[in-house]
Amino acid sequence: MHSKLDRRKKYTRMVLKESLMKLLKEKSISTVTVKEICTLADINRSTFYSHYMDQFDLLNQIEEEIIADMNETLTSYNYNQDDQTLQMTEKIVEYVAENSDVCTTLFSEHGDSGFKKRVMMVASDHTVKNWLSAYPIDSEISEYVSIFTISGSIHILENWLKNGMDKTPKEIAELINNLTNKGLSYLQ
């Protein structure tokens, strides 16, 4: 009986998340209503409120799951070696590819603008600090280097998603790593 409830709960949450993602493709979170989510999910509002406080709470839960997955992926790698850094970057790109629908929506103008900043902080905490330790940089400019590297990487991922993932995750990971490690000089 307990597993039946767990399956029902998982199904309900999955349908609500999918419904919110569909709505966010068309409009911003501030204009989405709980009623719209429930209608699309074919779930009554009392069921929705037994799981989430409102549409913002639902969006936050989706974002938290992605951040937790990214943290788990990033903590499993040793970034001090170039090949490990490339493997870690490739894992993140593969994760984005596997979750392309959600990532495209969350990175869009209809998603939560704070989400992109949170992704940047996670990536910075795990990767840039290790890249910076490999390349001694004055602490006064390390924050600028970190922002430049992470925001550039996120924009590459956004563009890749918009282009229908026209390159493999490995190619995108190599591009990000090469630009991070060598800058534009790698193109020559």
Side-chain angles (χ1 to χ4, degrees), residues 29-47:
I29 186 65
S30 61
T31 61
V32 171
T33 65
V34 171
K35 183 179 179 183
E36 288 175 305
I37 296 168
C38 292
T39 300
L40 192 56
D42 195 25
I43 291 184
N44 65 47
R45 288 173 59 177
S46 63
T47 302

Side-chain angles (χ1 to χ4, degrees), residues 8-182:
R8 225 183 279 162
K9 193 183 273 189
K10 284 180 185 178
Y11 173 78
T12 300
R13 289 182 178 179
M14 178 192 71
V15 172
L16 289 169
K17 289 174 186 178
E18 288 173 355
S19 297
L20 177 60
M21 288 296 105
K22 284 180 186 175
L23 290 167
L24 287 177
K25 288 179 182 178
E26 301 166 14
K27 54 207 255 178
S28 69
I29 186 65
S30 61
T31 61
V32 171
T33 65
V34 171
K35 183 179 179 183
E36 288 175 305
I37 296 168
C38 292
T39 300
L40 192 56
D42 195 25
I43 291 184
N44 65 47
R45 288 173 59 177
S46 63
T47 302
F48 177 92
Y49 288 116
S50 70
H51 295 275
Y52 305 103
M53 292 185 302
D54 56 22
Q55 68 273 30
F56 299 101
D57 184 36
L58 172 56
L59 178 59
N60 186 56
Q61 292 299 317
I62 294 168
E63 292 173 352
E64 285 300 319
E65 287 175 19
I66 290 172
I67 297 294
D69 285 350
M70 287 182 71
N71 263 319
E72 187 177 318
T73 299
L74 290 169
T75 55
S76 66
Y77 285 92
N78 173 7
Y79 311 108
N80 295 327
Q81 302 168 9
D82 285 341
D83 59 327
Q84 287 287 336
T85 303
L86 178 59
Q87 288 175 8
M88 177 276 309
T89 306
E90 190 173 350
K91 282 287 183 202
I92 292 299
V93 176
E94 287 171 356
Y95 178 84
V96 169
E98 290 167 9
N99 297 282
S100 63
D101 200 39
V102 172
C103 288
T104 299
T105 303
L106 292 177
F107 284 151
S108 78
E109 70 269 9
H110 297 302
D112 176 15
S113 61
F115 175 69
K116 196 183 293 188
K117 290 177 186 170
R118 289 172 53 211
V119 168
M120 288 176 66
M121 290 305 297
V122 168
S124 178
D125 287 346
H126 289 284
T127 58
V128 174
K129 288 178 183 172
N130 289 299
W131 278 323
L132 293 177
S133 68
Y135 302 97
I137 296 175
D138 184 352
S139 62
E140 289 182 21
I141 66 164
S142 65
E143 181 180 352
Y144 294 107
V145 173
S146 174
I147 291 168
F148 179 81
T149 303
I150 295 301
S151 63
S153 298
I154 287 177
H155 286 293
I156 286 172
L157 291 174
E158 284 179 305
N159 198 51
W160 178 61
L161 289 169
K162 285 179 191 172
N163 289 335
M165 296 182 293
D166 58 346
K167 299 191 180 323
T168 67
K170 185 174 183 79
E171 290 172 319
I172 293 299
E174 287 173 346
L175 175 65
I176 289 170
N177 263 22
N178 285 329
L179 287 171
T180 299
N181 293 327
K182 301 171 189 163

